[in-house]
Amino acid sequence: MARRRLNNRLDRPVDPARDHVLGEDDAPITLVEYGSYACPHCRAANARIAEVRDRLGDRLRYVFRHKPLTGSDLARRAAELAERAPDPKSFWEAHVALMSRSGELTEDDLKAVADELHLPKDTTKDGKEQVKRAKARVVADQKSARASGVMITPTFFINGRRYDGPWDESSFADAMLGRLGHRVRAAALDFATWAPSAGILLLIAAVLAVILTNSAWGLAFHAFWEQTFGLRLGERSFALPLIDWINDGLLTIFFLVVGLEIKREFTVGHLASPHEAALPVAAAIGGMVVPAALYMLIIPSGPLAHGWGVPMATDTAFAVALIVMMGARVPVALRIFLTAAAIVDDIGAILVVALFYSEAIHVEYLVAAAAVTAALWLLNGSRVYSVTPYALLGVLLWFCVHEGGLHATLAGVILALFVPTRPPPDLNALTAQANAILAAEARHSDEVLRHGPSVPALRALDAIHDRLESPADRLLRYAGARSSYIILPLFALANAGVQLSMEVVRGHEQLMAAIMAGLVIGKPLGLLAASALAVWLKLAVKPNDYSWRQLLGAGALAGIGFTMSLFIASQAFPAANDFAAAKIAVFAASIVSALIGVVILWNARCPPGAGDDGDETRERE
């Protein structure tokens, strides 16, 4: 599962009638800050903002919104005090005083600002009305901060988009002036944080592959993927066609990510608790067994019987993309259920590939693979937290598994098991250490300006950065994005191309019927039946957040096999014509499953009383 994604867009547009604004309404750049007068970082950033305003002049409009530090009565009262200012000029004078009058916000600061504002007493009618309006204004800003995904202070939004870069004047200016590098990075992050983006890329790659295959460039497109690349050392060589480098090589990274996600879900995720895991585990098992059984019922024997694993798989990216695009019509709890079930589904797919779709076994290479696995175990046991040695041994493990006759992607799953996790860091200690290092460097600012920070300081900051997350989490964060946005689209581009002609279908009707029956009928039937059986046997409990009809809709979406189904089909059907027919069946079944799932979920109602729980879950997400 992906980690929590926060909104990166400003929830409430700037309104001069209700916001505190410095600058012209038609300024091309709008900088919105959510801050607190008691926040030392906001107070430090205040000077940087002033420098940026001086530099950009009339091109910048600055807006301040309140997000008092949680649990700080002084911060809340300071925000309410500023809101009692009778006019904009008085507000900004109070704002500057509260931010900069002393090194740290104190009661004396509030008293001094209150005296300067000449406020009526709180006990008078005017005073009570003023206090009421001020509190309402602060509460409105706090709600806007939550809706905008604000977690820390200060948080800045530039032209409606959250700014996550450094707070120095130069970085601010680059972002606000829209330099090319910042625009490209911002556009990429916007796309990556859009939940359906991975599924959209997969779809584009698959459609492009089909179009190219059926165009005048079809033969050249096919020949491109069959080009051989490799290494040669003297008389020894290791070479594979480009399509095998993708299916056996790059896809190993995808399986590494899957392994890391499985590990996280079973340790700290939705599968960590037996109570929470029971329903998605049961559903996933039913969603694998019934499709395979339907396939074997239609094709009980013969050369095509080996393809029973094809309809077992679920493409999480497409399924979740459709759920997200349906928005509030689908409870968040149902998305969690489907994603957790897909994780278990991935385990099944990995086992099926490893046990049933491997080639001739070469024991000597498998012994070498076992030795490399033992080395990984020793590294993990010795608490080696650098990713580099694991990556080097992972490459060696991949080679040994590939040459040993097992599918090479299994190496990614094995590697994931041994990439270490770590206890959560002591953030207070790391913050104090980082502050001490930066303060020491700041005392030598002239030297830093000429030569940059000292090498010991950079090493210490690197160590702090490394400690913030475990090697497993860091690898999942970096490899996960590359898997979703590069590797899987490449896999689809290389494998989804199929000649759309009746000649492909002719003679493969039984194969296509078996795959389609497994995905379109077997998946929802197996998922729903296994879930109902587990609940009836009191092995699991269905949450009240979603209905049985919605569970059936999720089961239909699980019939979108695509990536994993194509992968298993590529292993099960070495003959090109058989593989082509299987691809058409997977495409057709995935489209039909998607349509059925959307139709079922579109107007399905949540059970009575599910709304509050769903809202709470949505907040946590």
Side-chain angles (χ1 to χ4, degrees), residues 268-294:
V268 297
H270 293 99
L271 300 176
S273 162
H275 177 75
E276 292 182 349
L279 190 64
V281 167
I285 292 172
M288 290 184 286
V289 172
V290 175
L294 272 178

Side-chain angles (χ1 to χ4, degrees), residues 104-163:
E104 182 177 334
L105 185 68
T106 64
E107 291 285 356
D108 288 341
D109 294 329
L110 268 64
K111 185 177 183 304
V113 170
D115 290 343
E116 291 172 5
L117 290 174
H118 305 294
L119 299 175
K121 292 185 179 297
D122 296 355
T123 53
T124 66
K125 181 180 179 181
D126 288 345
K128 289 180 180 178
E129 191 64 31
Q130 206 177 59
V131 169
K132 183 180 178 181
R133 284 197 305 266
K135 288 184 175 181
R137 184 89 172 247
V138 172
V139 168
D141 280 358
Q142 288 176 300
K143 287 182 178 178
S144 171
R146 284 194 297 271
S148 300
V150 174
M151 298 293 291
I152 62 170
T153 54
T155 293
F156 299 98
F157 288 80
I158 298 174
N159 289 340
R161 187 186 187 283
R162 190 175 68 235
Y163 171 71

Side-chain angles (χ1 to χ4, degrees), residues 61-218:
R61 178 176 63 162
Y62 171 65
V63 180
F64 183 82
R65 290 178 179 174
H66 301 284
K67 189 186 183 300
L69 291 181
T70 303
S72 172
D73 180 67
L74 184 65
R76 179 187 55 78
R77 288 191 289 116
E80 292 171 359
L81 174 61
E83 285 300 328
R84 293 182 66 183
D87 53 67
K89 182 175 182 294
S90 300
F91 170 83
W92 287 111
E93 288 174 351
H95 174 83
V96 172
L98 289 169
M99 278 291 189
S100 58
R101 185 175 180 275
S102 57
E104 182 177 334
L105 185 68
T106 64
E107 291 285 356
D108 288 341
D109 294 329
L110 268 64
K111 185 177 183 304
V113 170
D115 290 343
E116 291 172 5
L117 290 174
H118 305 294
L119 299 175
K121 292 185 179 297
D122 296 355
T123 53
T124 66
K125 181 180 179 181
D126 288 345
K128 289 180 180 178
E129 191 64 31
Q130 206 177 59
V131 169
K132 183 180 178 181
R133 284 197 305 266
K135 288 184 175 181
R137 184 89 172 247
V138 172
V139 168
D141 280 358
Q142 288 176 300
K143 287 182 178 178
S144 171
R146 284 194 297 271
S148 300
V150 174
M151 298 293 291
I152 62 170
T153 54
T155 293
F156 299 98
F157 288 80
I158 298 174
N159 289 340
R161 187 186 187 283
R162 190 175 68 235
Y163 171 71
D164 295 321
W167 295 340
D168 62 287
E169 183 261 347
S170 174
S171 300
F172 260 136
D174 283 349
M176 284 189 266
L177 292 172
R179 301 266 162 77
L180 179 61
H182 179 81
R183 289 205 307 271
V184 171
R185 178 178 178 273
L189 285 175
D190 279 347
F191 183 73
T193 53
W194 183 44
S197 57
I200 296 295
L201 270 183
L202 268 177
L203 181 61
I204 291 172
V207 171
L208 182 60
V210 173
I211 290 173
L212 289 174
T213 300
N214 290 274
S215 70
W217 300 291

Side-chain angles (χ1 to χ4, degrees), residues 361-374 400 404:
I361 300 299
H362 299 284
V363 176
E364 64 276 15
Y365 283 104
L366 294 185
V367 171
V372 176
T373 303
C400 293

Side-chain angles (χ1 to χ4, degrees), residues 415-436:
L415 178 60
L417 296 177
F418 294 101
V419 175
T421 56
R422 298 183 78 172
D426 184 340
L427 295 179
N428 290 329
L430 295 182
T431 300
Q433 182 185 2
N435 286 339

